[in-house]
Amino acid sequence: MKIVIDSANAEKIRQLNKYFPIDGVTTNPSIIVKEKKPFLPLLQEIRGVIGDEKELFVQAVADEAEEIVEEACGITKALAGPVLIKVPVTAEGIKAIKLLKEKGVRTLATTVYTPMSAFVAAKAGAEYVAPYVNRIDNLTGNGVQVVEDITRIFTAHRLPCKVLAASFKNVQQLHQVCLSGAHGITAAPELIQGLIEHPSVASDVQKFKEEWMEQYGKVSTDLLSVL
Ligand code: G3P
């Protein structure tokens, strides 16, 4: 199951990538504009931070299929490493996903709110779909259930498309999605950090250290030398 950072903040990505088992980075227009930097240099900076092996997801902004294809080809040409183009599941978007599949350009179908739009995107050739868990919840839907339904449909019909669940506001949603059978989660840096946060951890570690120091008086990297 993949853990992907949903951010375009190069510094936060650098820090998280140093400590956590990160598989890639997703961006979208809202995330990009927050950084107030030129588009392509920002993506190149992110690529430099995560290296050439990890997946980088970039969203197309055009409306018409042919324009989406043009944007996608430009972005994939300008960036090194594995790049996936995020395409919204409009009718033009589905057409673009089909055209991009023929050209060998990898895509992720985004703005997914229903299992059936995910199904259509997968049939069109999307490599990933990104159901918007929190946005579905906010519309009084059940985001986790939508993720679970999509994974069941893909499994039942042997569709090779992966579910990269997106739009999270808390760790509980991430926990539920991990149980749902999704292939990955993409979340803000703060939420990924939140996966390991628990007040008991720091106090447990402190207690272990105090008891150790009482007996041995020092912390050594060579444990045998203090015995
Ligand atoms: O990439 C899609 C995702 O970032 C949307 O998340 O938090 O804006 O609902 P959010």
Side-chain angles (χ1 to χ4, degrees):
M1 182 164 186
K2 296 192 176 193
I3 303 180
V4 176
I5 308 173
D6 199 25
S7 171
N9 185 289
E11 201 36 52
K12 288 182 182 175
I13 295 168
R14 189 188 316 281
Q15 283 307 319
L16 215 54
N17 191 47
K18 208 187 288 177
Y19 289 94
F20 283 69
I22 296 300
D23 294 295
V25 169
T26 49
T27 63
N28 65 30
S30 313
I31 285 172
I32 293 279
V33 298
K34 263 191 217 155
E35 301 308 312
K36 302 197 182 323
K37 289 181 177 177
F39 175 59
L40 208 50
L42 174 59
L43 292 170
Q44 284 161 340
E45 187 184 1
I46 295 170
R47 171 54 79 206
V49 168
I50 62 174
D52 284 351
E53 306 285 315
K54 299 184 182 184
E55 290 172 339
L56 177 57
F57 297 76
V58 184
Q59 192 160 327
V61 289
D63 293 326
E64 304 289 322
E66 288 71 17
E67 290 167 2
I68 295 173
V69 169
E70 206 175 310
E71 262 185 65
C73 292
I75 292 167
T76 48
K77 237 178 246 152
L79 293 168
V83 174
L84 286 100
I85 304 302
K86 293 176 68 178
V87 183
V89 287
T90 59
E92 290 294 326
I94 296 296
K95 182 180 173 191
I97 289 170
K98 285 204 304 174
L99 295 171
L100 288 167
K101 174 78 180 169
E102 283 163 18
K103 288 181 176 294
V105 176
R106 300 167 68 190
T107 57
L108 172 148
T110 190
T111 62
V112 168
Y113 286 80
T114 67
M116 294 320 286
S117 63
F119 172 65
V120 172
K123 283 277 295 171
E127 184 174 330
Y128 290 92
V129 294
Y132 276 9
V133 176
N134 190 65
R135 294 193 195 198
I136 294 169
D137 287 352
N138 280 345
L139 294 167
T140 67
N142 184 336
V144 171
Q145 188 61 55
V146 170
V147 173
E148 204 175 308
D149 289 354
I150 295 171
T151 55
R152 279 181 57 199
I153 289 168
F154 288 0
T155 306
H157 300 287
R158 293 191 174 82
L159 287 163
C161 188
K162 298 182 276 283
V163 183
L164 182 67
S167 177
F168 293 99
K169 282 296 163 281
N170 58 62
V171 172
Q172 179 62 7
Q173 289 168 331
L174 289 163
H175 174 177
Q176 294 300 324
V177 161
C178 282
L179 291 169
S180 76
H183 307 89
I185 47 175
T186 181
E190 297 71 22
L191 275 183
I192 294 176
Q193 269 171 304
L195 296 176
I196 61 161
E197 271 165 19
H198 195 286
S200 293
V201 176
S203 60
D204 285 355
V205 169
Q206 180 62 22
K207 183 95 172 91
F208 288 138
K209 181 104 166 270
E210 282 167 11
E211 288 177 357
W212 176 272
M213 293 298 278
E214 212 176 298
Q215 171 91 9
Y216 298 112
K218 66 170 179 171
V219 175
S220 171
T221 48
D222 177 7
L223 284 180
L224 293 179
S225 76
V226 296
L227 296 179

